């Protein structure tokens, strides 16, 4: 056994990473890297000390829609990006019971934000670089669990861009990410596709209808293949411990 894939509850990530790394095992851990900054830093240090790969499963950035968005932004298709907003939600909270680890605040602090909203935070930093300030509001409207079921988060990026991420545990599935620029706006709906609205136009053009391939790859397989490649060839994973710590 050369490597471990950890899909355990958040609160066990640090303990299991240390157990594995101290025995020379390479570690792939699902997001979030941990529930606390202190735990994440311990995980990074032990993997560095033992010279094993630490990769973290932030897979949403690998979806073809978001890869295409980043490519268009980098090519200047929307001019200078100034604002972004996203929402990643579903209704898992309606199914939670007290025997589930996600029910408890110590196990899943901030509830839907650390479980699903965090995907968008990683994707936005993938697009625009690090965040320098963050503020978030939580509300417990419907469920009886210890975690909030609605969250609203504002991100202030080092480059001046302002971002917003909404995430809830009590509404039908929703995954959207919009980026607004001085020359055009990009609208990404995981169900309906990717749309571009140019300056001085009210029309949203569907890019997939123009022959641009926005079909999903296999992001889970892709990140595991990359993990194996890093082990075999000494490469760095796209999302290593430090990037995952920044997201956390």
């Amino acid at each position: 056994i050369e490597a471990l894939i950890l899909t355990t509850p958040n609160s066990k990530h640090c303990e299991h990473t240390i157990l594995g790394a101290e025995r020379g095992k390479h570690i792939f851990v699902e997001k979030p890297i941990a529930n606390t900054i202190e735990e994440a830093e311990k995980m990074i240090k032990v993997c560095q000390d033992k010279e094993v790969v630490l990769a973290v499963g932030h897979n949403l950035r690998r979806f073809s829609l978001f890869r295409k968005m980043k490519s268009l932004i980098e090519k200047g298709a929307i001019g200078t990006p100034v604002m972004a907003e996203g929402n990643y939600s579903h209704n898992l909270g309606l199914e939670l019971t007290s025997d589930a680890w996600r029910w408890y605040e110590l196990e899943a602090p901030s509830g839907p934000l650390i479980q699903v909203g965090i995907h968008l935070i990683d994707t936005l930093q993938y697009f625009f670089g690090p965040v320098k300030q963050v503020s978030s509001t939580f509300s417990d409207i419907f469920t009886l669990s210890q975690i909030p079921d609605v969250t609203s988060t504002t991100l202030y990026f080092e480059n001046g861009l302002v971002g917003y991420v909404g995430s809830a545990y009590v509404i039908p599935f929703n995954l959207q990410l919009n980026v607004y620029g001085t020359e055009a706006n990009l609208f990404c709906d995981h169900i309906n596709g990717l749309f571009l609205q140019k300056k001085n136009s009210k029309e949203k053009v569907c890019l997939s209808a123009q022959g641009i391939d926005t079909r999903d790859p296999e992001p889970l397989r892709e990140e595991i293949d990359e993990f194996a490649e890093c082990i075999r060839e000494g490469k760095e994973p796209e999302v290593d411990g430090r990037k995952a710590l920044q997201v956390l």
Side-chain angles (χ1 to χ4, degrees):
I1 297 175
E2 298 177 64
L4 303 177
I5 298 175
L6 302 180
T7 59
T8 50
N10 302 350
S11 62
K12 297 295 184 181
H13 289 179
C14 183
E15 174 189 350
H16 292 168
T17 295
I18 291 173
L19 284 170
E22 287 183 340
R23 289 155 178 79
K25 311 303 181 188
H26 302 282
I27 304 294
F28 178 94
V29 60
E30 264 299 343
K31 61 79 203 159
I33 184 173
N35 276 342
T36 71
I37 301 295
E38 181 183 13
E39 287 180 335
E41 290 177 337
K42 286 181 180 178
M43 294 165 66
I44 293 167
K45 185 177 187 306
V46 70
C47 289
Q48 288 177 338
D49 290 347
K50 298 300 180 179
E51 298 182 343
V52 297
V53 174
L54 174 60
V56 185
H58 284 286
N59 61 66
L60 193 72
R61 61 162 63 199
R62 297 178 184 270
F63 282 40
S64 56
L65 288 169
F66 300 120
R67 294 292 204 201
K68 185 61 183 179
M69 288 183 78
K70 180 174 174 62
S71 174
L72 289 168
I73 293 166
E74 289 179 341
K75 291 177 180 177
I78 65 169
T80 301
V82 297
M83 185 171 65
E85 59 183 7
N87 188 290
Y88 195 175
S89 301
H90 54 61
N91 56 10
L92 175 66
L94 300 178
E95 303 174 4
L96 286 178
T97 59
S98 58
D99 60 350
W101 63 267
R102 291 177 179 86
W103 176 277
Y104 300 98
E105 175 67 19
L106 287 176
E107 295 288 335
S110 78
L113 177 59
I114 202 167
Q115 291 302 111
V116 287
I118 196 171
H119 279 295
L120 288 177
I121 293 175
D122 172 67
T123 302
L124 286 172
Q125 291 193 108
Y126 167 60
F127 287 176
F128 304 118
V131 169
K132 68 176 181 179
Q133 185 178 345
V134 60
S135 60
S136 195
T137 302
F138 305 147
S139 184
D140 188 2
I141 297 175
F142 193 81
T143 59
L144 299 176
S145 65
Q146 295 180 4
I147 61 173
D149 46 37
V150 178
T151 71
S152 175
T153 302
T154 304
L155 308 164
Y156 302 91
F157 289 79
E158 289 184 358
N159 64 8
L161 184 140
V162 176
Y164 160 80
V165 170
S167 189
Y169 252 3
V170 290
I171 68 173
F173 176 84
N174 182 56
L175 174 52
Q176 298 182 21
L177 181 58
N178 305 326
V179 178
Y180 305 95
T182 55
E183 298 295 324
N185 300 324
L186 280 171
F187 300 89
C188 181
D189 183 315
H190 186 58
I191 296 175
N192 297 311
L194 183 60
F195 298 82
L196 178 70
Q197 177 191 11
K198 293 185 178 180
K199 185 171 65 174
N200 301 324
S201 173
K202 295 182 180 180
E203 181 184 7
K204 296 179 182 178
V205 178
C206 180
L207 297 183
S208 56
Q210 294 185 340
I212 295 176
D213 187 3
T214 55
R215 294 172 299 178
D216 279 337
E218 296 184 69
L220 296 175
R221 177 169 182 165
E222 180 182 307
E223 63 186 1
I224 296 301
D225 283 346
E226 181 202 60
F227 177 49
E229 186 177 9
C230 290
I231 294 169
R232 288 286 180 259
E233 301 182 16
K235 297 181 178 180
E236 292 293 324
E238 181 171 332
V239 183
D240 59 10
R242 286 294 170 192
K243 288 182 180 177
L245 174 61
Q246 182 67 29
V247 177
L248 180 65

